[in-house]
Amino acid sequence: MVRFHLATAILSLLQFLPSSNNAVATAAFLPTKHRRTIPFSTTTSTTTTTMSAASLKPYIETLIAGERPLTSEETQEAFGEILKGADEVQVGSLLTLLRARGETPSEIAGMVKAMNDACNSVDLGSDQKLLDIVGTGGDGADTINISTASVVLAAACGCTVAKAGNRSVSSACGSADVLEALGVKVDLTPSQIVECVKQCNVAFMFAPVNHPAMRFVAPIRKKLGVRTCFNILGPMTNAAGAQHAVIGVFDADLIPIMAGALQEVGRVDHAVIIHGVGLDEISPLGPATIFEIKNTAPTGETKVYETKQFEFDPTSIGIPKCQLEELKGGGPEENALKFKKVLEGGTHTDAKRDSIVLNAGMGCYVYGLTPTIEEGCQLARETLESGKATDVLNQWMEASQAIAAKDKEAVQQAA
C-alpha cells in the first residue's frame, strides 16, 4: 500500500511539476501527519545505491520500494548532484518522496554534508570559537527579529558571532531585511566577513552569497509549492562552521530529526534546539522545550555527545508571561526601529527586551561564557542595560559599510 501511494504521488508530480505556479514554500518544514518513527540514529544498510551518469533515478527507486531509507552517504551523493543542477523532474520527485516517507536524521545529515561541501565557506580559523542564534522560521507570528537582535546582544556580552540568514520567505521581515534597513551590509563576501568579525566581533552571512548552489533548487521548490527538507537545512549549514548554536524550531517534531543530524555531522561542540510556545525561539509566552547536545571529548578527539531534554520556564528567572501581541513586529522599516529600541541601555523592560535577554542568555551559555542558562540570562540583562549592545550595533553598521566601500573602490581603481 505504501509503495502504491508513493508511486502514485510521483506520477502525479511528473504531470504537475513543469507547469505549476504555486507560491514559494514557507520557511519551515512541518512533518506530515503519518510519518515513520524516527530514531536519533539510523543503522546504515550494507546495500547501497550507486550513481549512474549523475541520475537521481536509483535513489528515487529505492524510496519507492519502501524497504529502507537512504543512507547518509547516499543522500550526500544525491544532494551533491542536486546542488550541481540535476534534472528538475528527478529533483522534485526525490524531494516529494523524502517528504512523504519522512526524512531520517541520517538522511538530513547527508543533506547537511552536501550543503557544506557546496558552500562558499568563511574561514575564521579552526581555533576561533563561534556562535550562531538562528531559527527555522515558519511560525507565522510576525514578531520582531528576536534571534537577530539576540546575536547583537550576545556579541556585546563577549561571544564571537557568525550569524547565518536570508531574506523573508514566510514572515514580514527576515534577518537580512531588518539588517539592511538598519544599514548593515548583508552581502559581504567570505573574506569581507572575516574582516568584519575582526573589527566588531559579529558578521552576517547572507545565504545567496554563501550557498550559491541553492539557485538550482529555488525554482523547483517554487514549482512544488510544498515544504521540503531544504526548509530546515539553513540553521544547520553555518558557512563559518559555528561550533556553538542556538537553533529554534516552531514544530516539536523537528527536534529529534535535527538533533540526530547535528550529532551525525559532528560539527557542533555545544548546541541547543528550542521549541517555544508558538515560536521558533524562547520567549515569555511560556515554557520552552530544549534539547541540549554537548561534546564531552577532549579537543582534537572524535566527538562524544552528551544529550538531555528539559523544559525551561522564563518565569523561573523572574520574567513574567506575555501575550503574542507584545512581541509583534512588521516590515523592515518598522522592525528596524524596534530593533534599535530593544537594544537601548537602561533598566526599563518589556516582553521584547525579555525575549532578547532569554535568547542571548542561552547563547552565552552554549558559548561557554557562563556555566548555567540562568547566569547567561543575567549576563545578557546586565549587558543590555549597560548600553553595550547599541554600541556593537553601531560598530557593525559602520564596519560592514566601510569594508564593502573599500573593496568596491579597489575594484573601480583596478578597472
Side-chain angles (χ1 to χ4, degrees):
M1 183 65 70
V2 172
R3 181 185 179 115
F4 170 77
H5 287 312
L6 290 175
T8 301
I10 290 301
L11 287 173
S12 299
L13 174 65
L14 293 177
Q15 298 172 16
F16 155 79
L17 182 61
S19 60
S20 170
N21 290 314
N22 280 356
V24 177
T26 57
F29 167 82
L30 180 62
T32 49
K33 185 176 180 181
H34 302 290
R35 302 178 67 85
R36 291 174 291 172
T37 300
I38 298 174
F40 277 97
S41 62
T42 303
T43 303
T44 301
S45 171
T46 56
T47 304
T48 59
T49 302
T50 57
M51 283 296 292
S52 174
S55 170
L56 301 180
K57 184 179 177 182
Y59 306 117
I60 293 170
E61 290 179 337
T62 296
L63 292 176
I64 289 176
E67 296 177 0
R68 64 173 180 86
L70 297 178
T71 65
S72 179
E73 292 77 13
E74 288 172 326
T75 313
Q76 184 176 357
E77 291 169 1
F79 275 68
E81 294 303 323
I82 289 172
L83 295 172
K84 294 175 185 175
D87 179 79
E88 281 197 1
V89 173
Q90 291 190 3
V91 173
S93 300
L94 184 66
L95 295 179
T96 301
L97 280 165
L98 286 165
R99 168 76 190 276
R101 290 175 54 85
E103 297 88 341
T104 66
S106 283
E107 286 171 335
I108 295 294
M111 300 171 198
V112 171
K113 291 173 184 177
M115 288 277 288
N116 290 338
D117 290 342
C119 86
N120 287 334
S121 60
V122 177
D123 185 5
L124 285 158
S126 58
D127 295 331
Q128 178 61 67
K129 206 158 86 167
L130 297 170
L131 171 71
D132 193 5
I133 302 176
V134 63
T136 58
D139 53 33
D142 287 332
T143 64
I144 62 168
N145 299 89
I146 294 173
S147 64
T148 311
S150 297
V151 300
V152 177
L153 179 53
C157 290
C159 302
T160 300
V161 176
K163 164 69 176 168
N166 206 345
R167 297 197 184 281
S168 169
V169 174
S170 64
S171 65
C173 180
S175 54
D177 301 313
V178 71
L179 289 174
E180 194 170 60
L182 286 162
V184 174
K185 292 293 292 184
V186 299
D187 57 349
L188 299 183
T189 65
S191 61
Q192 290 174 328
I193 291 167
V194 172
E195 183 60 29
C196 192
V197 169
K198 287 180 180 178
Q199 290 191 27
C200 57
N201 227 34
V202 59
F204 183 74
M205 298 180 298
F206 190 35
V209 173
N210 296 106
H211 296 284
M214 286 299 292
R215 71 187 184 276
F216 296 117
V217 183
I220 301 169
R221 294 172 67 193
K222 183 175 182 179
K223 289 175 183 178
L224 282 174
V226 297
R227 296 172 183 134
T228 71
C229 48
F230 277 104
N231 296 116
I232 65 169
L233 296 182
M236 295 187 285
T237 54
N238 184 288
Q243 317 93 330
H244 305 264
V246 177
I247 299 174
V249 297
F250 85 98
D251 176 45
D253 287 344
L254 291 173
I255 292 176
I257 301 171
M258 296 180 77
L262 285 173
Q263 291 174 75
E264 186 165 338
V265 172
R267 292 179 80 182
V268 297
D269 282 324
H270 195 178
V272 290
I273 303 171
I274 297 168
H275 169 58
V277 178
L279 301 179
D280 62 341
E281 45 222 343
I282 308 176
S283 77
L285 288 171
T289 300
I290 298 173
F291 191 95
E292 184 173 5
I293 303 167
K294 190 173 184 179
N295 174 35
T296 58
T299 302
E301 294 187 12
T302 302
K303 288 182 171 60
V304 177
Y305 289 113
E306 179 182 89
T307 66
K308 64 178 178 179
Q309 182 168 313
F310 57 95
E311 278 202 350
F312 178 75
D313 191 340
T315 60
S316 68
I317 58 171
I319 292 178
K321 281 191 174 183
C322 75
Q323 300 298 314
L324 181 59
E325 291 72 22
E326 297 175 71
L327 300 175
K328 285 287 187 180
E333 297 303 325
E334 179 181 346
N335 273 18
L337 291 173
K338 291 180 177 179
F339 197 107
K340 288 181 179 179
K341 187 173 182 180
V342 82
L343 293 178
E344 290 176 351
T347 57
H348 62 288
T349 194
D350 57 24
K352 294 181 181 68
R353 285 169 68 86
D354 288 342
S355 296
I356 305 306
V357 164
L358 286 167
N359 289 275
M362 183 64 73
C364 290
Y365 166 65
V366 301
Y367 191 80
L369 290 184
T370 62
T372 66
I373 297 170
E374 292 77 10
E375 289 171 276
C377 291
Q378 182 180 349
L379 173 60
R381 177 78 70 186
E382 292 170 356
T383 303
L384 180 63
E385 292 178 354
S386 74
K388 290 179 181 178
T390 295
D391 293 340
V392 169
L393 177 60
N394 291 332
Q395 291 166 11
W396 189 7
M397 289 186 286
E398 293 169 5
S400 65
Q401 290 174 13
I403 291 166
K406 179 182 176 182
D407 283 10
K408 183 179 180 180
E409 182 180 349
V411 169
Q412 289 174 341
Q413 288 176 351

